[in-house]
Amino acid sequence: MPELSERTKANMDVVLEETCRQLPHGGDHDSRKFIAERLIEAAQAGHSTLGELGIVARRALAEILAKRGE
């Protein structure tokens, strides 16, 4: 597993917080974990910009909402 740069980690944190704001109360633990895991996978695959990570996070959020029927 490649070490992620501090910049990538910061981008992941920003994207996670921005995405979870769309969930009630900032998202529950399981939702935040699901999105974070997707972000980690994307970052390890070389996707490290805010734009790339934002797309991944929005897709994960859409999956969560679809499962809930929202």
Side-chain angles (χ1 to χ4, degrees):
M1 169 161 70
E3 181 67 26
L4 301 176
S5 72
E6 291 304 313
R7 170 72 126 201
T8 300
K9 291 176 188 177
N11 285 349
M12 291 167 59
D13 190 46
V14 167
V15 168
L16 179 63
E17 292 306 318
E18 286 178 355
T19 304
C20 288
R21 276 191 216 132
Q22 299 175 50
L23 293 167
H25 310 290
D28 59 45
H29 175 77
D30 289 335
S31 297
R32 292 180 68 87
K33 181 179 176 185
F34 181 78
I35 296 168
E37 287 172 346
R38 292 293 177 91
L39 289 171
I40 291 167
E41 290 170 7
Q44 289 173 339
H47 304 287
S48 60
T49 67
L50 285 172
E52 291 171 321
L53 293 170
I55 290 167
V56 170
R58 286 189 296 276
R59 286 181 182 159
L61 177 62
E63 268 188 67
I64 291 168
L65 296 177
K67 286 179 188 175
R68 292 182 183 173
E70 294 180 23

